[in-house]
Amino acid sequence: MTHPDSPHVAVIGGGICGLAAAHRLVRRGTRVTLLEGSDQLGGLGTFFAHGDQWIERFYHCIMPSDASLLALLGELGLRDAVQWRETTMGMVVDGRRHPFNSPLDLLRFSPLRLHDRVRFGVVSLLLRRLGRGRDLDTLRTEDWLRGLYGDVVWERLFAPMFGSKFGPSFGDVPALYLWQRLGRERNVATRGYPDGGYKTIIDALRASIEGAGGVVRTSAPVRRLHSTGGHSVLTLTGGEVLDADHVISTVPLPQLRRIADDALAARLPETDLPYQGVVTGVFFLRQPITEHYWTPVLHSDTEFDGVVSMSALTGGGNLVYVMHYTDRDSQLYLDDDEAIAARWSAQLRGLYPELGADGIEEVRVFKAPFVEPVYPLGYLATRPPVTVDGTGLLLATTAHVYPDVTSWNSSVALANNVVAAVADQPAAAPAR
């Protein structure tokens, strides 16, 4: 339980990083107030009701290598609730569907010439080894992959795949990001999904925080933040003011700059990463369309760049996600949800004609403005620290997880590190 004389920590943001940080703090006896601006906890793990189920707005899975997340689930009594399944990968190129898992699949993969298929297979087997000992943080992904795989593989496969994730700067992303991703997943992979969905994890974290005396508030956006020395002041909507010894901010740096007062803004790191947002279509289908969990869609005249079948992961239902990562100022991001749903429904039927005219039961479209930072070369040397000198503010954002892949696991690991750093921050002077 929290101790009334312990420092008070305010956590801004109720996504997985904020929830994990608050959970860890209350377990140490720290007084915690978590403030979430929207009406729902979870960040990119938020959900909506569909029948008697809760469905994530954006797709997620758990990997066996997600040590930090799995340890947290163990503390919550949820580790055994994760159902593990072997999943596979498909590929749609020029509108044609291909399995993309085994050596035989690769030999039959007609979008590449035979010698390119062989080169692809050999290099892919050695890629993790080829990256060891190299300064991949300062090596462009395009330079590394084009040199290893050749021009055809880069232009036919990797360029559209990286372009869909990172936008026009895709070739400039450090090769270290890809190398780290390869360490987390592979084409044929065991993936996990919790019974009851990610809402189960979010609800358990809230119960843990509140059960230990912490405070969790939704619909409580922070409008102004002042922090100096060991004292912070948060002003909420309506003028409510909260005092705290320390503040952990999990919101992206562009958003944090908008709420920081002038004195704090001058102390924030100058890091100015561009962010990719995402537009996601959630399709409820009357029949399954693929046995593969993940299927990139390349050169196929679709606005979306991939198909994720959750039925392959959950073992039930016909739930499919399609997505396109894009700048939050793009025409697609600003477009009407119903118009996107209509276009993407037609495009999905084009790829999977067996759906027919009535194969789509329902479509929901969701958008998130800050999903994936586009890291520059040499980011390890410029990555901001989690502490902000001269303040009681600590940062726990996606700008800090690099070179790890942005995921729930890396967010939990970051939360653990930031909570450990709280103990090194000066406490506020006692009130007089």
Side-chain angles (χ1 to χ4, degrees):
M1 295 292 290
T2 60
H3 192 279
D5 294 328
S6 70
H8 178 218
V9 178
V11 178
I12 303 176
I16 181 59
C17 190
L19 287 166
H23 162 80
R24 187 73 62 232
L25 286 164
V26 296
R27 286 170 66 91
R28 294 184 173 203
T30 304
R31 291 183 297 132
V32 175
T33 301
L34 184 147
L35 303 167
E36 166 56 39
S38 72
D39 62 357
Q40 191 181 122
L41 299 172
L44 291 175
T46 52
F47 41 83
F48 63 98
H50 183 264
D52 60 354
Q53 292 182 299
W54 294 99
I55 305 297
E56 288 80 40
R57 295 175 181 175
F58 307 97
Y59 67 94
H60 297 278
C61 71
I62 301 170
M63 307 296 288
S65 56
D66 288 348
S68 297
L69 176 57
L70 289 170
L72 176 64
L73 296 184
E75 294 172 15
L76 298 171
L78 295 177
R79 186 158 185 163
D80 291 340
V82 178
Q83 299 298 314
W84 299 98
R85 286 182 171 84
E86 290 293 318
T87 61
T88 58
M89 178 178 178
M91 188 86 75
V92 175
V93 184
D94 298 322
R96 296 187 60 189
R97 288 135 60 176
H98 308 267
F100 203 73
N101 301 284
S102 67
L104 185 58
D105 290 341
L106 182 57
L107 286 175
R108 292 173 173 171
F109 187 65
S110 58
L112 297 179
R113 297 168 297 186
L114 180 59
H115 67 274
D116 288 317
R117 299 175 214 169
V118 173
R119 183 173 180 176
F120 182 96
V122 172
V123 172
S124 296
L125 284 174
L126 299 174
L127 195 59
R128 281 285 291 175
R129 187 181 305 172
L130 292 170
R132 293 193 185 108
R134 298 201 60 179
D135 181 11
L136 298 180
D137 181 51
T138 60
L139 177 61
R140 297 175 68 243
T141 290
E142 178 175 357
D143 293 341
W144 192 42
L145 295 187
R146 191 187 282 272
L148 291 173
Y149 286 95
D151 294 338
V152 173
V153 171
W154 170 259
E155 291 164 8
R156 289 288 287 160
L157 300 186
F158 289 128
M161 291 175 70
F162 277 88
S164 69
K165 186 77 169 179
F166 294 107
S169 301
F170 66 90
D172 298 328
V173 172
L176 181 59
Y177 180 90
L178 171 66
W179 193 79
Q180 289 288 114
R181 190 181 189 103
L182 291 171
R184 182 174 184 256
E185 54 189 75
R186 53 191 174 91
N187 286 357
V188 182
T190 300
R191 288 177 167 88
Y193 184 80
D195 283 341
Y198 277 68
K199 183 178 186 297
T200 304
I201 302 174
I202 295 165
D203 289 347
L205 282 166
R206 180 170 195 164
S208 168
I209 297 163
E210 294 180 332
V215 176
V216 177
R217 295 176 58 179
T218 57
S219 300
V222 177
R223 299 301 185 191
R224 207 68 175 160
L225 174 62
H226 169 81
S227 186
T228 182
H231 182 243
S232 300
V233 179
L234 304 91
T235 304
L236 310 187
T237 299
E240 180 184 357
V241 175
L242 294 179
D243 291 305
D245 298 289
H246 314 293
V247 173
I248 296 176
S249 174
T250 69
V251 299
L253 288 174
Q255 288 182 317
L256 180 60
R257 288 192 183 94
R258 289 201 288 269
I259 65 173
D261 66 10
D262 291 343
L264 177 58
R267 293 181 175 274
L268 293 178
E270 296 180 359
T271 306
D272 189 21
L273 291 176
Y275 279 78
Q276 286 283 81
V278 72
V279 180
T280 295
V282 186
F283 283 79
F284 297 91
L285 308 179
R286 301 187 190 280
Q287 65 188 71
I289 57 173
T290 176
E291 71 274 21
H292 304 303
Y293 170 73
W294 166 233
T295 303
V297 178
L298 315 177
H299 310 292
S300 297
D301 298 322
T302 61
E303 289 180 318
F304 55 81
D305 305 300
V307 175
V308 171
S309 170
M310 290 302 293
S311 56
L313 186 59
T314 62
N318 297 309
L319 175 63
V320 163
Y321 291 78
V322 304
M323 75 299 300
H324 182 77
Y325 291 86
T326 182
D327 186 272
R328 57 194 175 278
D329 296 321
S330 71
Q331 184 56 54
L332 175 63
Y333 195 93
L334 299 173
D335 203 355
D336 177 74
D337 290 355
E338 290 187 7
I340 295 171
R343 291 198 307 271
W344 287 12
S345 294
Q347 293 166 17
L348 191 66
R349 289 190 185 98
L351 296 182
Y352 301 93
E354 60 269 31
L355 277 173
D358 61 351
I360 298 174
E361 178 183 285
E362 183 184 350
V363 187
R364 301 285 297 272
V365 173
F366 298 101
K367 301 169 182 174
F370 297 97
V371 177
E372 194 73 52
V374 183
Y375 300 107
L377 289 180
Y379 186 65
L380 279 179
T382 61
R383 183 183 59 192
V386 298
T387 56
V388 179
D389 288 344
T391 77
L393 175 65
L394 298 99
L395 306 174
T397 77
T398 48
H400 295 82
V401 300
Y402 180 87
D404 288 340
V405 176
T406 305
S407 67
W408 272 40
N409 182 67
S410 60
S411 293
V412 172
L414 176 62
N416 294 342
N417 292 336
V418 171
V419 167
V422 168
D424 298 327
Q425 294 292 293
R432 294 183 178 179

